[in-house]
Amino acid sequence: MSSARQAHPVWAQVGRLLALVLICALSLQLWFLLRVAAMAVIDPASTSFQRSEAVRLLGEEAEFRWSQEWVPADQLSKHLRRAVIASEDAGFADHPGVEWDAIEAALSRNEKAEARAERLQAQQAKRAAQAAAKGGAAPAKKIEAKVVGGSTITQQLAKNLFLSSERTFARKGQEMLLAFMLEGLLDKQRILTLYLNHVEFGSGIFGAEAASQHYYRSSAAKVSAEQAARLAVMLPAPKRLQRQPYSAYMNGRTATIVARMSSVELP
């Protein structure tokens, strides 16, 4: 009997702890929900990703360079809106925030990429060991798999607004939940406007207006179809691609996006 009485307080404490965790989790989701609802009428001044980038730039660069200017939906070129949808999320007008087929395809590609990286790493380690046995050589460098996310524009916006860039299942799950909140409380045009005003187009360059001024000395309302497509192509890796804006990859991908833009349905 005494052991049963001793066990009871332990389970009671576990129950209280689980209840506290549940309350905290629900409170966090309510806070997210209220923040998203407010964005229907309030333009957010910054995002979680932008703030983390500001901290990084302050710590790593001698000169802090930052450019962003909010513009309303009617000052964002239709070319730009079509180009971003064609490049990043062809089903944007129709999906509920998450495209399960795209996620499944991304997981499959990532598994293959990770397996290939492991094989190359093993081969490199074997060659390094053979070279070391003959007189010394530098240790094998770590080979990283090229990982793709399969995220929609809505998911990308959710991550940029509220979350970090770490790759964990918990973060991905929260990103999906936020995407459903965005889609449930905001219309597609508002989601796209938020995305285009805050997405990164290069180191310290955020939003379509800042990008258009930086790269073309033009407003976001006046960029051409080719200029809009070139900006859209930068989005998966803006810091890297801003250093080679007219590379063979950029030129070819830009031409592909321009060809797709006429069939894009705008929200």
Side-chain angles (χ1 to χ4, degrees):
M1 292 292 294
S2 60
S3 60
R5 286 195 296 269
Q6 290 174 356
H8 179 72
V10 174
W11 284 111
Q13 290 177 3
V14 171
R16 285 193 292 269
L17 180 61
L18 290 174
L20 180 61
V21 170
L22 180 60
I23 290 170
C24 290
L26 291 174
S27 298
L28 178 62
Q29 301 313 313
L30 178 61
W31 180 79
F32 282 141
L33 191 68
L34 293 174
R35 288 283 305 277
V36 170
M39 288 178 192
V41 293
I42 299 173
D43 303 330
S46 65
T47 67
S48 176
F49 178 73
Q50 287 172 320
R51 292 188 289 273
S52 67
E53 275 296 288
V55 171
R56 183 189 68 81
L57 290 170
L58 282 169
E60 294 181 4
E61 297 190 9
E63 181 182 358
F64 181 69
R65 292 170 293 180
W66 190 270
S67 180
Q68 182 183 18
E69 181 180 347
W70 176 278
V71 292
D74 61 4
Q75 293 181 32
L76 292 167
S77 162
K78 288 185 178 180
H79 292 314
L80 189 54
R81 284 181 278 165
R82 285 195 172 97
V84 168
I85 292 173
S87 179
E88 293 292 289
D89 185 2
F92 175 69
D94 302 314
H95 65 62
V98 175
E99 280 203 303
W100 300 108
D101 289 345
I103 292 174
E104 185 178 351
L107 288 172
S108 177
R109 289 197 299 271
N110 291 340
E111 287 178 1
K112 292 176 181 177
E114 288 170 1
R116 181 174 182 275
E118 289 176 1
R119 289 196 302 271
L120 292 174
Q121 188 74 64
Q123 293 170 3
Q124 188 183 78
K126 183 177 180 179
R127 289 194 296 269
Q130 292 172 344
K134 295 179 180 178
K141 295 181 180 179
K142 182 173 177 58
I143 298 175
E144 299 285 352
K146 185 178 180 181
V147 177
V148 294
S151 296
T152 64
I153 284 175
T154 312
Q155 286 176 263
Q156 292 178 47
L157 175 62
K159 182 185 72 172
N160 289 343
L161 283 170
F162 299 113
L163 307 174
S164 71
S165 296
E166 65 178 345
R167 295 182 180 277
T168 65
F169 286 113
R171 199 276 291 164
K172 195 68 176 178
Q174 181 65 76
E175 175 190 296
M176 291 181 183
L177 187 55
L178 284 166
F180 291 130
M181 291 182 192
L182 286 164
E183 292 278 349
L185 295 172
L186 308 178
D187 61 34
K188 290 284 186 176
Q189 179 170 288
R190 182 60 174 170
I191 290 170
L192 188 58
T193 300
L194 288 166
Y195 178 81
L196 284 171
N197 273 288
H198 287 289
V199 70
E200 183 186 37
F201 284 97
S203 183
I205 305 169
F206 289 91
E209 181 66 20
S212 300
Q213 294 289 352
H214 177 82
Y215 293 109
Y216 302 120
R217 301 294 184 265
S218 172
S219 70
K222 296 180 179 178
V223 292
S224 68
E226 189 273 339
Q227 289 171 336
R230 197 170 292 275
L231 288 176
V233 171
M234 294 180 66
L235 291 179
K239 293 187 184 72
R240 173 171 60 84
L241 294 175
Q242 76 177 135
R243 298 193 296 267
Q244 43 188 342
Y246 294 96
S247 65
Y249 166 79
M250 285 288 289
N251 292 339
R253 180 67 177 161
T254 296
T256 299
I257 297 305
V258 169
R260 292 178 182 174
M261 286 165 58
S262 61
S263 63
V264 167
E265 177 186 351
L266 286 178

